[in-house]
Amino acid sequence: MVDISVIGSGYVGIVTGLGFAELGNRVIFVDIDTKKVEAINNSIPPIFEPHLEDLMKRNRKRYYATDNYDEAILNSQITFICVGTPSNHDGSINLEYVKSAAKNVGKVLEEKNRFHVVVVKSTVVPGTTEDVITPILEQNSDKEAFYDFGLAVNPEFLREGSAVEDFFNPDRIVVGAKDENSKNILSKLYSSFDCPKLFVDIKTAEMIKYTSNAFLATKISFANEIGNICKKLGIDAYEVFRGVGLDHRINPSFFRAGIGFGGSCFPKDVRALISKAEELGENPKILKSVMRLNEEQPLKLIYILKKYIPDLENKTIGILGLAFKPDTDDVRESRAIPIIKKLIEEGAKVVAYDPVANENFKEIFPDITYTTNVEEVLNAEAVLILTEWEEFERLDYTGKIIIDGRRIEKAKKEAKIYEGICW
Ligand code: NAD
């Protein structure tokens, strides 16, 4: 049993902390958002994620949340930094939250007598832990990293929507460490996991995370490019990807065409890697194309819609799905954003339904109509499918005009007019 503190209780922090609690450890969550602190202390999941509520209820005695760094760091042996690392306007990584967390942790480390390990779980571009986080921790603690206290990187690979399952069944665990103490403590913490464990240097661990995300984003943009060609040729891209994905060197996962990738990771991580590469004098041509294609792809859906309704002025267009993927309420960089923006520009009236993401989307588009009654969306003049929620496979699409960005088979079979983005 280890006492762990987790800084930042968002998608990564809350799942990581509760996962460790389920394994028998005691966890203290720290967040600057007092609403999240209160929700966690009342066993209310601060985000929507399958199985999270069960984990919270089952482990109630093993965790609590606070906004007090002193309390959390002094009463734990390991601290995971899980705060956000969003994009700056120029695409580079914004380290404001990581720096602030490191500063606060460093200040408490000054008063701490027992050995403590700080683990960076936030996604940070290679070099950040050693060049940015280390000096902040050292200056604020007046101690030496890798000697007086441990410091390691442990990138997170969970997928929103299946984050709890991914925590317990990772494909691999990557630890970037320099000091033996940190390696040993993390190796013990993860001892019950039966998966490959890679102990590498700090920069390598940081780069593994970016390379994974850049590769997956590339796979999606590649699928979309092939899908666009298939559509022009009258070929069903899904049949093509099924045939290609069976090749074990390629694998079917993340190999489907649609309106592109969104979420809090792929777009910002690819942008940050592009920015870092340019800073180093490299021109990452593939990554730039991946992003360009991902920006153009969602708008193809509007182009298809206009084949059936050329003038969208005052037409009611229904939207099925706002979350960037199913089983999450996360709308960060959702492909629904550029699509709805374009519909509004064209004068359409938008009525939208998402099983869990309506509230989060309202913060971006307060003025469109949101409904909890999916029939209102289906009664629109045409319907765009933007997220592949499982429940959309159970709707009645008879007599409707459906333009599908995600491939809902029932809609394909039933709709009066049906067209898919790449099929
Ligand atoms: P998030 O925005 O959901 O959560 C971050 C949390 O940190 C928020 O609750 C915020 O209030 C809190 N916070 C910010 N500054 C703080 C501070 N100084 N002290 C304490 N709390 C603070 O972010 P997320 O999606 O969980 O991502 C966290 C990191 O993990 C990012 O670097 C992200 O790239 C990476 N990551 C995310 C995912 C994912 O699927 N979301 C997967 C893998 C890796």
Side-chain angles (χ1 to χ4, degrees):
M1 199 274 300
V2 185
D3 287 299
I4 296 169
S5 47
V6 175
I7 315 293
S9 318
Y11 291 83
V12 167
I14 193 74
V15 172
T16 304
L18 289 170
F20 282 129
E22 174 86 357
L23 294 175
N25 303 292
R26 280 198 301 249
V27 177
I28 308 173
F29 293 100
V30 182
D31 208 292
I32 45 171
D33 181 343
T34 48
K35 275 197 209 125
K36 276 192 183 153
V37 170
E38 200 183 316
I40 296 168
N41 286 331
N42 288 317
S43 303
I44 299 167
I47 52 159
F48 174 85
E49 187 63 42
H51 312 299
L52 203 56
E53 199 168 358
D54 297 343
L55 271 188
M56 292 192 89
K57 296 230 157 85
R58 211 167 37 240
N59 294 290
R60 185 59 200 99
K61 291 207 170 94
R62 296 211 186 107
Y63 69 85
Y64 72 92
T66 174
D67 58 0
N68 185 324
Y69 271 82
D70 287 77
E71 188 183 327
I73 310 298
L74 293 175
N75 291 301
S76 60
Q77 292 142 267
I78 309 178
T79 296
F80 282 91
I81 296 184
C82 301
V83 298
T85 46
S87 291
N88 285 318
H89 285 304
D90 63 359
S92 62
I93 187 169
N94 176 344
L95 291 173
E96 148 193 16
Y97 305 110
V98 168
K99 285 181 183 170
S100 153
K103 187 175 166 191
N104 291 333
V105 172
K107 279 185 193 158
V108 190
L109 286 182
E110 189 179 15
E111 349 162 3
K112 190 156 180 183
N113 303 321
R114 283 175 35 228
F115 191 77
H116 196 94
V117 185
V118 180
V119 185
V120 179
K121 211 175 224 324
S122 297
T123 303
V124 291
V125 289
T128 304
T129 301
E130 284 162 302
D131 302 341
V132 180
I133 300 175
T134 303
I136 296 177
L137 286 169
E138 288 183 333
Q139 277 152 25
N140 286 282
S141 64
D142 210 13
K143 287 184 175 171
E144 197 179 326
F146 312 112
Y147 182 71
D148 296 324
F149 63 90
L151 180 57
V153 169
N154 173 215
E156 181 52 62
F157 299 99
L158 60 76
R159 297 161 301 171
E160 285 178 25
S162 51
V164 171
E165 208 184 301
D166 289 348
F167 176 88
F168 293 107
N169 304 290
D171 287 334
R172 76 303 209 185
I173 289 164
V174 174
V175 173
K178 199 151 128 178
D179 59 289
E180 286 304 313
N181 273 337
S182 299
K183 269 187 215 167
N184 292 338
I185 290 169
L186 283 169
S187 159
K188 216 164 142 196
L189 182 68
Y190 282 117
S191 59
S192 62
F193 286 82
D194 181 22
C195 67
K197 292 166 197 164
L198 267 78
F199 285 83
V200 293
D201 66 37
I202 289 179
K203 246 193 254 178
T204 305
E206 291 167 332
M207 191 61 182
I208 288 173
K209 174 64 191 172
Y210 276 92
T211 309
S212 288
N213 276 2
F215 185 82
L216 292 171
T218 303
K219 201 171 175 186
I220 295 171
S221 274
F222 175 77
N224 287 337
E225 185 158 283
I226 295 291
N228 294 339
I229 301 169
C230 284
K231 186 166 171 81
K232 289 267 163 71
L233 287 166
I235 296 169
D236 184 343
Y238 269 62
E239 292 292 305
V240 173
F241 294 129
R242 203 147 59 95
V244 179
L246 284 169
D247 184 328
H248 74 278
R249 295 168 303 176
I250 295 174
N251 172 307
S253 194
F254 279 73
F255 202 35
R256 43 191 289 164
I259 47 175
F261 56 82
S264 68
C265 290
F266 289 179
K268 76 149 172 93
D269 290 348
V270 177
R271 278 198 293 263
L273 189 56
I274 291 172
S275 167
K276 187 71 192 174
E278 286 181 332
E279 188 190 309
L280 298 167
E282 282 299 315
N283 181 16
K285 300 182 202 71
I286 293 177
L287 298 181
K288 285 182 181 172
S289 302
V290 165
M291 290 309 291
R292 201 170 326 117
L293 201 138
N294 198 53
E295 276 146 31
E296 290 165 7
Q297 192 70 5
L299 298 178
K300 283 187 179 278
L301 214 62
I302 307 281
Y303 172 80
I304 297 171
L305 171 67
K306 287 175 84 171
K307 288 206 281 191
Y308 303 97
I309 306 179
D311 180 8
L312 293 172
E313 184 78 36
N314 282 323
K315 301 289 186 321
T316 304
I317 305 300
I319 300 290
L320 284 179
L322 298 167
F324 87 93
K325 65 189 275 193
D327 295 320
T328 182
D329 60 351
D330 199 344
V331 298
R332 289 178 283 186
E333 307 228 21
S334 166
R335 297 297 80 193
I337 297 169
I339 290 172
I340 290 175
K341 187 165 170 265
K342 185 74 180 154
L343 287 173
I344 294 170
E345 274 166 24
E346 300 262 343
K349 293 186 206 151
V350 176
V351 52
Y353 167 83
D354 188 284
V356 298
N358 280 3
E359 291 307 312
N360 283 346
F361 212 80
K362 262 182 209 167
E363 287 176 23
I364 310 172
F365 289 99
D367 297 329
I368 62 169
T369 304
Y370 295 88
T371 178
T372 50
N373 177 6
V374 74
E375 287 305 316
E376 273 183 59
V377 168
L378 291 172
N379 287 335
E381 282 161 80
V383 176
L384 308 183
I385 303 179
L386 307 187
T387 315
E388 63 275 35
W389 281 98
E390 212 247 311
E391 66 174 68
F392 296 165
E393 282 290 358
R394 295 192 295 273
L395 301 178
D396 182 1
Y397 297 96
T398 319
K400 313 291 179 193
I401 300 178
I402 305 288
I403 313 297
D404 192 355
R406 297 296 188 190
R407 184 82 167 206
I408 297 294
E409 293 295 340
K410 193 158 182 279
K412 187 166 180 275
K413 279 194 204 111
E414 289 177 357
K416 178 176 77 178
I417 293 174
Y418 174 91
E419 195 166 333
I421 184 157
C422 294
W423 52 91

